[in-house]
Amino acid sequence: IFVTKYKGKVATLNSAQMLEALNDFQNIASRLSKLYAYAALNKATHASDESVVKFYSNIVQKYSIIMAKLTFFSLELSKLSDAKINELTSTDKGMKEYKYFLDRSAAFKKHMLSDETEMYATRMMPSSSSAWQKLYDMMLSKLRFNIGGEEKILPELVKSFTSPKTEVRREAADA
């Protein structure tokens, strides 16, 4: 709904419409960020659980797809002129709260690539550096260490290094 309502129209919005668009975008981004953070933290604490890793991978993929669809909004905001930003933020109290954000978006336009390249970069997010991170995490989650006759995973090994008992720390170092 957001895409069909605003794509290609951002420069023509009045201050009330822009405020609605910015609030909608903020709500979408906030919810996505919370879901992404939950999945990442859950994976960090349960790295050896395949269902958790699969859930995380699924969230990252969906996050990337949604953000790629929403990239147009940031691109169109960055193309707003200073005069348009001043027009939007000078009369509406709610829009004044977004003035800094709009000014920063406009200032960033000189660093933006073409629309197609920016969208491509967003779509490629889960298959670029995060793919290496996923491989690294998978490799670490498979590591097992024998400490005191028990099989331990890496975070448990690291925790053993802080034990007040010398023999536990020594065993961890030897593992």
Side-chain angles (χ1 to χ4, degrees), residues 127-169:
S127 61
S128 58
S129 62
S130 63
W132 286 108
Q133 182 66 42
K134 181 179 174 183
L135 176 63
Y136 178 76
D137 289 345
M138 283 176 24
M139 298 300 289
L140 285 182
S141 72
K142 301 228 184 269
L143 292 176
R144 299 291 183 266
F145 304 91
N146 187 353
I147 301 172
E150 293 182 43
E151 189 175 89
K152 305 273 186 171
I153 60 174
L154 185 60
E156 293 171 316
L157 172 73
V158 172
K159 185 178 178 186
S160 297
F161 286 118
T162 62
S163 173
K165 298 178 183 175
T166 305
E167 61 275 4
V168 172
R169 292 193 310 270

mmCIF file of all heavy atoms in Angstrom, residues 127-169:
data_model
loop_
_atom_site.group_PDB
_atom_site.id
_atom_site.type_symbol
_atom_site.label_atom_id
_atom_site.label_comp_id
_atom_site.label_asym_id
_atom_site.label_seq_id
_atom_site.Cartn_x
_atom_site.Cartn_y
_atom_site.Cartn_z
ATOM 1 N N SER A 127 22.890 -11.397 0.406
ATOM 2 C CA SER A 127 23.808 -12.312 -0.275
ATOM 3 C C SER A 127 25.224 -11.762 -0.354
ATOM 4 O O SER A 127 26.085 -12.358 -0.967
ATOM 5 C CB SER A 127 23.291 -12.611 -1.685
ATOM 6 O OG SER A 127 23.224 -11.432 -2.430
ATOM 7 N N SER A 128 25.467 -10.625 0.279
ATOM 8 C CA SER A 128 26.816 -10.065 0.236
ATOM 9 C C SER A 128 27.547 -10.365 1.530
ATOM 10 O O SER A 128 27.803 -11.516 1.846
ATOM 11 C CB SER A 128 26.746 -8.564 -0.053
ATOM 12 O OG SER A 128 25.965 -7.921 0.932
ATOM 13 N N SER A 129 27.894 -9.337 2.293
ATOM 14 C CA SER A 129 28.687 -9.563 3.498
ATOM 15 C C SER A 129 27.951 -10.401 4.529
ATOM 16 O O SER A 129 28.569 -11.147 5.287
ATOM 17 C CB SER A 129 29.101 -8.229 4.108
ATOM 18 O OG SER A 129 27.963 -7.495 4.496
ATOM 19 N N SER A 130 26.621 -10.293 4.588
ATOM 20 C CA SER A 130 25.899 -11.095 5.579
ATOM 21 C C SER A 130 25.973 -12.585 5.249
ATOM 22 O O SER A 130 25.836 -13.421 6.139
ATOM 23 C CB SER A 130 24.456 -10.628 5.711
ATOM 24 O OG SER A 130 23.761 -10.805 4.516
ATOM 25 N N ALA A 131 26.198 -12.937 4.002
ATOM 26 C CA ALA A 131 26.363 -14.345 3.650
ATOM 27 C C ALA A 131 27.655 -14.889 4.276
ATOM 28 O O ALA A 131 27.683 -16.017 4.766
ATOM 29 C CB ALA A 131 26.385 -14.518 2.139
ATOM 30 N N TRP A 132 28.700 -14.072 4.273
ATOM 31 C CA TRP A 132 29.943 -14.493 4.919
ATOM 32 C C TRP A 132 29.744 -14.592 6.421
ATOM 33 O O TRP A 132 30.253 -15.512 7.061
ATOM 34 C CB TRP A 132 31.086 -13.517 4.598
ATOM 35 C CG TRP A 132 31.577 -13.664 3.204
ATOM 36 C CD1 TRP A 132 31.390 -12.806 2.170
ATOM 37 C CD2 TRP A 132 32.306 -14.772 2.666
ATOM 38 N NE1 TRP A 132 31.963 -13.306 1.029
ATOM 39 C CE2 TRP A 132 32.536 -14.507 1.312
ATOM 40 C CE3 TRP A 132 32.787 -15.963 3.210
ATOM 41 C CZ2 TRP A 132 33.222 -15.381 0.485
ATOM 42 C CZ3 TRP A 132 33.485 -16.835 2.387
ATOM 43 C CH2 TRP A 132 33.686 -16.542 1.039
ATOM 44 N N GLN A 133 29.002 -13.656 6.985
ATOM 45 C CA GLN A 133 28.712 -13.702 8.418
ATOM 46 C C GLN A 133 27.922 -14.958 8.765
ATOM 47 O O GLN A 133 28.181 -15.617 9.765
ATOM 48 C CB GLN A 133 27.926 -12.452 8.836
ATOM 49 C CG GLN A 133 27.625 -12.387 10.313
ATOM 50 C CD GLN A 133 28.858 -12.246 11.168
ATOM 51 O OE1 GLN A 133 29.753 -11.497 10.836
ATOM 52 N NE2 GLN A 133 28.921 -12.982 12.267
ATOM 53 N N LYS A 134 26.977 -15.312 7.906
ATOM 54 C CA LYS A 134 26.170 -16.516 8.129
ATOM 55 C C LYS A 134 27.060 -17.758 8.095
ATOM 56 O O LYS A 134 26.935 -18.638 8.955
ATOM 57 C CB LYS A 134 25.079 -16.598 7.060
ATOM 58 C CG LYS A 134 24.164 -17.781 7.208
ATOM 59 C CD LYS A 134 23.108 -17.769 6.127
ATOM 60 C CE LYS A 134 22.265 -19.018 6.168
ATOM 61 N NZ LYS A 134 21.285 -19.063 5.086
ATOM 62 N N LEU A 135 27.956 -17.832 7.119
ATOM 63 C CA LEU A 135 28.878 -18.972 7.032
ATOM 64 C C LEU A 135 29.761 -19.043 8.272
ATOM 65 O O LEU A 135 29.942 -20.108 8.864
ATOM 66 C CB LEU A 135 29.739 -18.861 5.774
ATOM 67 C CG LEU A 135 30.814 -19.938 5.604
ATOM 68 C CD1 LEU A 135 30.180 -21.312 5.474
ATOM 69 C CD2 LEU A 135 31.692 -19.626 4.404
ATOM 70 N N TYR A 136 30.292 -17.900 8.688
ATOM 71 C CA TYR A 136 31.139 -17.831 9.878
ATOM 72 C C TYR A 136 30.368 -18.307 11.105
ATOM 73 O O TYR A 136 30.859 -19.117 11.890
ATOM 74 C CB TYR A 136 31.625 -16.389 10.047
ATOM 75 C CG TYR A 136 32.475 -16.155 11.271
ATOM 76 C CD1 TYR A 136 33.804 -16.567 11.324
ATOM 77 C CD2 TYR A 136 31.957 -15.497 12.375
ATOM 78 C CE1 TYR A 136 34.584 -16.350 12.444
ATOM 79 C CE2 TYR A 136 32.729 -15.265 13.500
ATOM 80 C CZ TYR A 136 34.048 -15.689 13.524
ATOM 81 O OH TYR A 136 34.806 -15.464 14.632
ATOM 82 N N ASP A 137 29.142 -17.804 11.283
ATOM 83 C CA ASP A 137 28.310 -18.209 12.419
ATOM 84 C C ASP A 137 28.005 -19.702 12.393
ATOM 85 O O ASP A 137 28.020 -20.362 13.440
ATOM 86 C CB ASP A 137 26.999 -17.415 12.437
ATOM 87 C CG ASP A 137 27.184 -15.962 12.813
ATOM 88 O OD1 ASP A 137 28.268 -15.598 13.336
ATOM 89 O OD2 ASP A 137 26.249 -15.174 12.561
ATOM 90 N N MET A 138 27.732 -20.223 11.210
ATOM 91 C CA MET A 138 27.437 -21.655 11.093
ATOM 92 C C MET A 138 28.663 -22.480 11.487
ATOM 93 O O MET A 138 28.539 -23.488 12.187
ATOM 94 C CB MET A 138 26.997 -22.010 9.669
ATOM 95 C CG MET A 138 25.572 -21.609 9.380
ATOM 96 S SD MET A 138 24.990 -21.899 7.682
ATOM 97 C CE MET A 138 25.987 -23.182 7.035
ATOM 98 N N MET A 139 29.835 -22.039 11.041
ATOM 99 C CA MET A 139 31.058 -22.772 11.373
ATOM 100 C C MET A 139 31.325 -22.731 12.881
ATOM 101 O O MET A 139 31.654 -23.748 13.483
ATOM 102 C CB MET A 139 32.255 -22.190 10.609
ATOM 103 C CG MET A 139 32.129 -22.303 9.096
ATOM 104 S SD MET A 139 31.976 -23.994 8.510
ATOM 105 C CE MET A 139 33.593 -24.604 8.810
ATOM 106 N N LEU A 140 31.162 -21.556 13.489
ATOM 107 C CA LEU A 140 31.384 -21.436 14.927
ATOM 108 C C LEU A 140 30.370 -22.243 15.729
ATOM 109 O O LEU A 140 30.704 -22.819 16.763
ATOM 110 C CB LEU A 140 31.332 -19.970 15.369
ATOM 111 C CG LEU A 140 32.537 -19.111 15.018
ATOM 112 C CD1 LEU A 140 32.346 -17.701 15.563
ATOM 113 C CD2 LEU A 140 33.825 -19.701 15.563
ATOM 114 N N SER A 141 29.138 -22.279 15.262
ATOM 115 C CA SER A 141 28.102 -22.997 16.007
ATOM 116 C C SER A 141 28.325 -24.510 15.986
ATOM 117 O O SER A 141 27.808 -25.218 16.832
ATOM 118 C CB SER A 141 26.716 -22.662 15.459
ATOM 119 O OG SER A 141 26.514 -23.253 14.196
ATOM 120 N N LYS A 142 29.100 -24.993 15.048
ATOM 121 C CA LYS A 142 29.371 -26.428 14.971
ATOM 122 C C LYS A 142 30.551 -26.851 15.851
ATOM 123 O O LYS A 142 30.751 -28.033 16.090
ATOM 124 C CB LYS A 142 29.635 -26.830 13.528
ATOM 125 C CG LYS A 142 28.460 -26.497 12.616
ATOM 126 C CD LYS A 142 28.094 -27.641 11.751
ATOM 127 C CE LYS A 142 27.000 -27.282 10.787
ATOM 128 N NZ LYS A 142 25.679 -27.546 11.282
ATOM 129 N N LEU A 143 31.333 -25.875 16.343
ATOM 130 C CA LEU A 143 32.481 -26.195 17.189
ATOM 131 C C LEU A 143 32.012 -26.724 18.538
ATOM 132 O O LEU A 143 31.087 -26.182 19.147
ATOM 133 C CB LEU A 143 33.353 -24.950 17.412
ATOM 134 C CG LEU A 143 34.106 -24.402 16.206
ATOM 135 C CD1 LEU A 143 34.830 -23.116 16.589
ATOM 136 C CD2 LEU A 143 35.095 -25.420 15.674
ATOM 137 N N ARG A 144 32.652 -27.791 19.006
ATOM 138 C CA ARG A 144 32.353 -28.377 20.311
ATOM 139 C C ARG A 144 33.672 -28.597 21.044
ATOM 140 O O ARG A 144 34.686 -28.954 20.435
ATOM 141 C CB ARG A 144 31.619 -29.719 20.167
ATOM 142 C CG ARG A 144 30.275 -29.627 19.464
ATOM 143 C CD ARG A 144 29.265 -28.894 20.343
ATOM 144 N NE ARG A 144 27.944 -28.830 19.756
ATOM 145 C CZ ARG A 144 27.482 -27.828 19.029
ATOM 146 N NH1 ARG A 144 28.239 -26.808 18.758
ATOM 147 N NH2 ARG A 144 26.252 -27.838 18.560
ATOM 148 N N PHE A 145 33.638 -28.407 22.367
ATOM 149 C CA PHE A 145 34.836 -28.523 23.188
ATOM 150 C C PHE A 145 34.536 -29.422 24.386
ATOM 151 O O PHE A 145 33.464 -29.343 24.979
ATOM 152 C CB PHE A 145 35.277 -27.135 23.683
ATOM 153 C CG PHE A 145 35.506 -26.170 22.562
ATOM 154 C CD1 PHE A 145 34.467 -25.354 22.120
ATOM 155 C CD2 PHE A 145 36.734 -26.077 21.941
ATOM 156 C CE1 PHE A 145 34.663 -24.459 21.076
ATOM 157 C CE2 PHE A 145 36.940 -25.189 20.900
ATOM 158 C CZ PHE A 145 35.903 -24.382 20.462
ATOM 159 N N ASN A 146 35.506 -30.262 24.749
ATOM 160 C CA ASN A 146 35.345 -31.157 25.879
ATOM 161 C C ASN A 146 35.938 -30.498 27.116
ATOM 162 O O ASN A 146 37.144 -30.308 27.219
ATOM 163 C CB ASN A 146 36.037 -32.495 25.602
ATOM 164 C CG ASN A 146 35.759 -33.517 26.670
ATOM 165 O OD1 ASN A 146 35.148 -33.217 27.690
ATOM 166 N ND2 ASN A 146 36.223 -34.733 26.438
ATOM 167 N N ILE A 147 35.043 -30.152 28.054
ATOM 168 C CA ILE A 147 35.477 -29.526 29.309
ATOM 169 C C ILE A 147 34.867 -30.331 30.458
ATOM 170 O O ILE A 147 33.645 -30.411 30.582
ATOM 171 C CB ILE A 147 35.015 -28.056 29.398
ATOM 172 C CG1 ILE A 147 35.570 -27.242 28.217
ATOM 173 C CG2 ILE A 147 35.452 -27.426 30.715
ATOM 174 C CD1 ILE A 147 35.008 -25.848 28.126
ATOM 175 N N GLY A 148 35.718 -30.917 31.266
ATOM 176 C CA GLY A 148 35.242 -31.705 32.411
ATOM 177 C C GLY A 148 34.394 -32.883 32.002
ATOM 178 O O GLY A 148 33.448 -33.240 32.700
ATOM 179 N N GLY A 149 34.691 -33.453 30.846
ATOM 180 C CA GLY A 149 33.938 -34.609 30.369
ATOM 181 C C GLY A 149 32.619 -34.246 29.706
ATOM 182 O O GLY A 149 31.870 -35.126 29.308
ATOM 183 N N GLU A 150 32.318 -32.964 29.598
ATOM 184 C CA GLU A 150 31.082 -32.517 28.958
ATOM 185 C C GLU A 150 31.388 -31.792 27.655
ATOM 186 O O GLU A 150 32.383 -31.085 27.547
ATOM 187 C CB GLU A 150 30.321 -31.547 29.873
ATOM 188 C CG GLU A 150 29.771 -32.154 31.126
ATOM 189 C CD GLU A 150 29.005 -31.136 31.940
ATOM 190 O OE1 GLU A 150 28.224 -30.358 31.343
ATOM 191 O OE2 GLU A 150 29.196 -31.111 33.159
ATOM 192 N N GLU A 151 30.521 -31.987 26.683
ATOM 193 C CA GLU A 151 30.658 -31.289 25.412
ATOM 194 C C GLU A 151 30.064 -29.886 25.554
ATOM 195 O O GLU A 151 28.918 -29.736 25.963
ATOM 196 C CB GLU A 151 29.936 -32.049 24.302
ATOM 197 C CG GLU A 151 30.229 -31.499 22.919
ATOM 198 C CD GLU A 151 29.608 -32.348 21.833
ATOM 199 O OE1 GLU A 151 28.449 -32.065 21.492
ATOM 200 O OE2 GLU A 151 30.283 -33.268 21.335
ATOM 201 N N LYS A 152 30.850 -28.855 25.245
ATOM 202 C CA LYS A 152 30.421 -27.463 25.389
ATOM 203 C C LYS A 152 30.540 -26.737 24.052
ATOM 204 O O LYS A 152 31.387 -27.074 23.221
ATOM 205 C CB LYS A 152 31.294 -26.725 26.414
ATOM 206 C CG LYS A 152 31.374 -27.381 27.767
ATOM 207 C CD LYS A 152 30.256 -26.945 28.640
ATOM 208 C CE LYS A 152 30.447 -27.506 30.044
ATOM 209 N NZ LYS A 152 29.544 -26.987 30.993
ATOM 210 N N ILE A 153 29.700 -25.729 23.880
ATOM 211 C CA ILE A 153 29.791 -24.881 22.687
ATOM 212 C C ILE A 153 30.692 -23.690 23.007
ATOM 213 O O ILE A 153 31.052 -23.467 24.165
ATOM 214 C CB ILE A 153 28.392 -24.428 22.199
ATOM 215 C CG1 ILE A 153 27.669 -23.628 23.275
ATOM 216 C CG2 ILE A 153 27.566 -25.627 21.745
ATOM 217 C CD1 ILE A 153 26.342 -23.019 22.807
ATOM 218 N N LEU A 154 31.061 -22.911 21.994
ATOM 219 C CA LEU A 154 32.030 -21.834 22.141
ATOM 220 C C LEU A 154 31.676 -20.822 23.243
ATOM 221 O O LEU A 154 32.550 -20.497 24.054
ATOM 222 C CB LEU A 154 32.242 -21.126 20.796
ATOM 223 C CG LEU A 154 33.314 -20.043 20.776
ATOM 224 C CD1 LEU A 154 34.680 -20.621 21.151
ATOM 225 C CD2 LEU A 154 33.382 -19.393 19.409
ATOM 226 N N PRO A 155 30.443 -20.311 23.334
ATOM 227 C CA PRO A 155 30.154 -19.360 24.415
ATOM 228 C C PRO A 155 30.369 -19.953 25.816
ATOM 229 O O PRO A 155 30.807 -19.256 26.728
ATOM 230 C CB PRO A 155 28.683 -18.996 24.198
ATOM 231 C CG PRO A 155 28.446 -19.237 22.756
ATOM 232 C CD PRO A 155 29.324 -20.407 22.405
ATOM 233 N N GLU A 156 30.095 -21.254 25.962
ATOM 234 C CA GLU A 156 30.325 -21.908 27.252
ATOM 235 C C GLU A 156 31.824 -22.013 27.538
ATOM 236 O O GLU A 156 32.265 -21.869 28.681
ATOM 237 C CB GLU A 156 29.678 -23.286 27.269
ATOM 238 C CG GLU A 156 28.166 -23.237 27.217
ATOM 239 C CD GLU A 156 27.527 -24.600 27.018
ATOM 240 O OE1 GLU A 156 28.015 -25.376 26.163
ATOM 241 O OE2 GLU A 156 26.544 -24.874 27.715
ATOM 242 N N LEU A 157 32.611 -22.266 26.490
ATOM 243 C CA LEU A 157 34.063 -22.316 26.639
ATOM 244 C C LEU A 157 34.589 -20.953 27.085
ATOM 245 O O LEU A 157 35.365 -20.861 28.029
ATOM 246 C CB LEU A 157 34.732 -22.738 25.326
ATOM 247 C CG LEU A 157 36.266 -22.638 25.297
ATOM 248 C CD1 LEU A 157 36.883 -23.746 26.140
ATOM 249 C CD2 LEU A 157 36.773 -22.690 23.879
ATOM 250 N N VAL A 158 34.152 -19.904 26.414
ATOM 251 C CA VAL A 158 34.601 -18.551 26.740
ATOM 252 C C VAL A 158 34.221 -18.200 28.182
ATOM 253 O O VAL A 158 35.011 -17.607 28.922
ATOM 254 C CB VAL A 158 34.017 -17.518 25.737
ATOM 255 C CG1 VAL A 158 34.308 -16.096 26.168
ATOM 256 C CG2 VAL A 158 34.580 -17.783 24.346
ATOM 257 N N LYS A 159 33.024 -18.588 28.602
ATOM 258 C CA LYS A 159 32.577 -18.332 29.972
ATOM 259 C C LYS A 159 33.476 -19.041 30.984
ATOM 260 O O LYS A 159 33.733 -18.528 32.071
ATOM 261 C CB LYS A 159 31.128 -18.772 30.140
ATOM 262 C CG LYS A 159 30.547 -18.436 31.485
ATOM 263 C CD LYS A 159 29.103 -18.857 31.575
ATOM 264 C CE LYS A 159 28.563 -18.544 32.966
ATOM 265 N NZ LYS A 159 27.220 -19.061 33.146
ATOM 266 N N SER A 160 33.983 -20.206 30.618
ATOM 267 C CA SER A 160 34.854 -20.963 31.517
ATOM 268 C C SER A 160 36.149 -20.207 31.825
ATOM 269 O O SER A 160 36.746 -20.396 32.881
ATOM 270 C CB SER A 160 35.193 -22.327 30.921
ATOM 271 O OG SER A 160 34.030 -23.095 30.773
ATOM 272 N N PHE A 161 36.570 -19.336 30.926
ATOM 273 C CA PHE A 161 37.792 -18.560 31.149
ATOM 274 C C PHE A 161 37.642 -17.555 32.285
ATOM 275 O O PHE A 161 38.628 -17.056 32.808
ATOM 276 C CB PHE A 161 38.219 -17.828 29.872
ATOM 277 C CG PHE A 161 38.813 -18.738 28.835
ATOM 278 C CD1 PHE A 161 38.210 -18.877 27.602
ATOM 279 C CD2 PHE A 161 39.967 -19.458 29.087
ATOM 280 C CE1 PHE A 161 38.743 -19.720 26.634
ATOM 281 C CE2 PHE A 161 40.511 -20.298 28.128
ATOM 282 C CZ PHE A 161 39.895 -20.432 26.900
ATOM 283 N N THR A 162 36.411 -17.250 32.655
ATOM 284 C CA THR A 162 36.183 -16.287 33.743
ATOM 285 C C THR A 162 35.843 -16.980 35.059
ATOM 286 O O THR A 162 35.509 -16.310 36.034
ATOM 287 C CB THR A 162 35.053 -15.309 33.371
ATOM 288 O OG1 THR A 162 33.840 -16.047 33.184
ATOM 289 C CG2 THR A 162 35.389 -14.512 32.122
ATOM 290 N N SER A 163 35.926 -18.285 35.094
ATOM 291 C CA SER A 163 35.614 -19.034 36.307
ATOM 292 C C SER A 163 36.602 -18.685 37.422
ATOM 293 O O SER A 163 37.804 -18.503 37.167
ATOM 294 C CB SER A 163 35.670 -20.539 36.022
ATOM 295 O OG SER A 163 35.534 -21.259 37.230
ATOM 296 N N PRO A 164 36.118 -18.615 38.659
ATOM 297 C CA PRO A 164 37.041 -18.359 39.774
ATOM 298 C C PRO A 164 37.941 -19.568 40.078
ATOM 299 O O PRO A 164 38.944 -19.437 40.767
ATOM 300 C CB PRO A 164 36.104 -18.058 40.952
ATOM 301 C CG PRO A 164 34.784 -18.630 40.581
ATOM 302 C CD PRO A 164 34.730 -18.660 39.085
ATOM 303 N N LYS A 165 37.594 -20.727 39.519
ATOM 304 C CA LYS A 165 38.370 -21.949 39.769
ATOM 305 C C LYS A 165 39.474 -22.098 38.723
ATOM 306 O O LYS A 165 39.220 -22.151 37.524
ATOM 307 C CB LYS A 165 37.460 -23.168 39.734
ATOM 308 C CG LYS A 165 36.381 -23.150 40.802
ATOM 309 C CD LYS A 165 35.481 -24.355 40.688
ATOM 310 C CE LYS A 165 34.376 -24.277 41.713
ATOM 311 N NZ LYS A 165 33.423 -25.370 41.565
ATOM 312 N N THR A 166 40.701 -22.188 39.209
ATOM 313 C CA THR A 166 41.867 -22.298 38.335
ATOM 314 C C THR A 166 41.784 -23.519 37.432
ATOM 315 O O THR A 166 42.097 -23.446 36.242
ATOM 316 C CB THR A 166 43.166 -22.363 39.171
ATOM 317 O OG1 THR A 166 43.200 -21.235 40.035
ATOM 318 C CG2 THR A 166 44.394 -22.377 38.294
ATOM 319 N N GLU A 167 41.340 -24.653 37.981
ATOM 320 C CA GLU A 167 41.292 -25.901 37.196
ATOM 321 C C GLU A 167 40.296 -25.804 36.038
ATOM 322 O O GLU A 167 40.521 -26.358 34.966
ATOM 323 C CB GLU A 167 40.995 -27.118 38.076
ATOM 324 C CG GLU A 167 39.663 -27.099 38.806
ATOM 325 C CD GLU A 167 39.674 -26.359 40.141
ATOM 326 O OE1 GLU A 167 40.696 -25.776 40.522
ATOM 327 O OE2 GLU A 167 38.632 -26.375 40.800
ATOM 328 N N VAL A 168 39.199 -25.059 36.239
ATOM 329 C CA VAL A 168 38.209 -24.874 35.163
ATOM 330 C C VAL A 168 38.812 -24.022 34.044
ATOM 331 O O VAL A 168 38.671 -24.336 32.862
ATOM 332 C CB VAL A 168 36.905 -24.235 35.714
ATOM 333 C CG1 VAL A 168 35.955 -23.865 34.584
ATOM 334 C CG2 VAL A 168 36.220 -25.166 36.692
ATOM 335 N N ARG A 169 39.508 -22.950 34.435
ATOM 336 C CA ARG A 169 40.156 -22.083 33.426
ATOM 337 C C ARG A 169 41.236 -22.848 32.664
ATOM 338 O O ARG A 169 41.354 -22.718 31.446
ATOM 339 C CB ARG A 169 40.734 -20.843 34.094
ATOM 340 C CG ARG A 169 39.693 -19.885 34.645
ATOM 341 C CD ARG A 169 40.280 -18.535 35.022
ATOM 342 N NE ARG A 169 41.469 -18.608 35.861
ATOM 343 C CZ ARG A 169 41.477 -18.619 37.186
ATOM 344 N NH1 ARG A 169 40.360 -18.561 37.846
ATOM 345 N NH2 ARG A 169 42.618 -18.667 37.848
#
